[in-house]
Amino acid sequence: MPLYAIGDVQGCLAELLQLLERLRFSPDRDRLWFTGDLVNRGPDSLGTLRFVRSLGSAAVTVLGNHDLHLLAVAADPQRRRRTDDSLDAVLQAPDRDELLDWLRRQPLLHHDPERAVTMVHAGLPPEWDLAAAQACAREVETVLRAGDGTAFFGHMYGDQPRRWDPALTGWPRLRFIVNCLTRLRYCTPDGRLALEHKGAPDGQRDDVQPWFRLPGRRSRGQRIVFGHWSTLGQVAWDDERVWGLDSGCVWGGRLSALRLDTEPWELTQLPCPPYCRPVVD
């Protein structure tokens, strides 16, 4: 069964459909994994949500920071929004509640034990092995699915705590988990999250490293696909066990699909028009 992992779509539905046509995708035969950030910045977040939801069991998506931001704005309309957010069509749609409920029930981490491949939106801190990452993701998923999430979203934003401690509890613990799985790019050598660093690795200070390059990372050796990092682009690391698939579609880069049921994995990319000015978050 063909299986493709697709990088951040961010509302670029036309490009997604073109890419799937190039892949000759059929929901009766093929399966799709989305690395998160289905929405925001691009021209058709509403259509993207409707399309991915319509695929049913043919698609899996993990939650990204923009997906969580949509849920947070829906839970609290007074929440401050960026001027380049493009979420109004979703928030005003007649099927808004059904789409948001579906989105809230998506995982933060997906693992396929048969293929031994894990998908997250952003990254994993060095202290987590696969079992710890799965357990931590489930903690947040349980809270998200328990209600409308208003209390959770009120505490979700922020950069603290910076370092994992199994003794963390309450909102700080959940915030750390969310920051790792949906925002992480860099860590310091001692494992602290360096969330303020967002550019490509060549322009960073020597005292931070991409999360997947940290020596002693307990998830090393796992096959992981992730998105989120448009300035990094498509990258293979750790003997091609770690693949970044956010190749900046919404910024005029490419939309990437990585076929996971082949050896070696096969990459297909579609050039995209720029919809936004080049910033990262």
Side-chain angles (χ1 to χ4, degrees):
M1 178 186 299
L3 170 63
Y4 301 94
I6 296 179
D8 301 26
V9 178
Q10 292 201 244
C12 299
L13 178 60
E15 288 71 31
L16 173 61
L17 296 178
Q18 290 176 44
L19 179 61
L20 295 183
E21 182 178 0
R22 180 176 295 184
L23 297 174
R24 299 183 180 178
F25 167 73
S26 169
D28 297 328
R29 179 195 64 222
D30 308 335
R31 295 295 179 264
L32 302 177
W33 287 9
F34 292 92
T35 62
D37 279 0
L38 293 179
V39 302
N40 212 10
R41 303 289 172 74
D44 197 357
S45 293
L46 175 59
T48 301
L49 284 179
R50 286 173 171 167
F51 174 71
V52 176
R53 181 175 179 243
S54 75
L55 294 174
S57 61
V60 172
T61 184
V62 292
L63 291 169
N65 54 304
H66 284 282
D67 306 316
L68 289 174
H69 179 59
L70 168 60
L71 293 171
V73 170
D76 178 9
Q78 302 304 312
R79 178 167 297 283
R80 184 172 63 86
R81 297 163 62 181
R82 293 181 58 118
T83 57
D84 50 1
D85 281 351
S86 59
L87 303 173
D88 286 345
V90 178
L91 297 170
Q92 297 166 9
D95 53 348
R96 156 200 162 120
D97 291 344
E98 291 87 349
L99 292 170
L100 295 177
D101 183 66
W102 171 82
L103 188 63
R104 186 168 51 245
R105 295 179 184 279
Q106 302 314 300
L108 283 158
L109 178 151
H110 177 70
H111 177 70
D112 184 332
E114 180 180 348
R115 291 188 172 88
V117 183
T118 301
M119 175 174 62
V120 296
H121 177 62
L124 302 178
E127 298 90 349
W128 291 358
D129 58 14
L130 174 60
Q134 290 175 300
C136 287
R138 284 193 296 267
E139 291 182 39
V140 177
E141 292 161 6
T142 298
V143 173
L144 277 174
R145 298 168 186 176
D148 65 6
T150 302
F152 168 76
F153 293 122
H155 293 86
M156 180 181 72
Y157 293 89
D159 294 347
Q160 300 294 333
R162 296 277 188 165
R163 181 75 182 270
W164 173 245
D165 182 343
L168 283 171
T169 60
W171 300 124
R173 181 182 178 93
L174 296 180
R175 187 184 309 115
F176 181 90
I177 295 170
V178 167
N179 283 342
C180 289
L181 296 175
T182 71
R183 296 181 59 206
L184 179 60
R185 295 183 181 94
Y186 290 98
C187 291
T188 63
D190 64 352
R192 296 180 186 275
L193 310 188
L195 298 172
E196 67 275 18
H197 294 277
K198 301 179 180 182
D202 290 345
Q204 299 304 311
R205 300 194 316 252
D206 293 338
D207 59 345
V208 296
Q209 294 189 49
W211 65 269
F212 50 83
R213 290 185 183 175
L214 278 186
R217 173 172 59 89
R218 296 193 65 192
S219 58
R220 187 171 295 281
Q222 296 287 333
R223 304 185 87 178
I224 300 171
V225 294
F226 67 99
H228 183 58
W229 200 340
S230 61
T231 55
L232 180 69
Q234 175 271 320
V235 65
W237 186 255
D238 196 13
D239 294 330
E240 298 197 348
R241 292 185 178 92
V242 177
W243 280 78
L245 293 178
D246 181 6
S247 40
C249 175
V250 78
W251 313 119
R254 296 182 175 90
L255 186 60
S256 295
L258 185 65
R259 186 166 179 175
L260 302 179
D261 63 295
T262 60
E263 292 292 346
W265 291 347
E266 299 173 359
L267 182 69
T268 301
Q269 295 185 304
L270 178 81
C272 302
Y275 291 107
C276 295
R277 57 188 175 85
V279 299
V280 292
D281 63 9

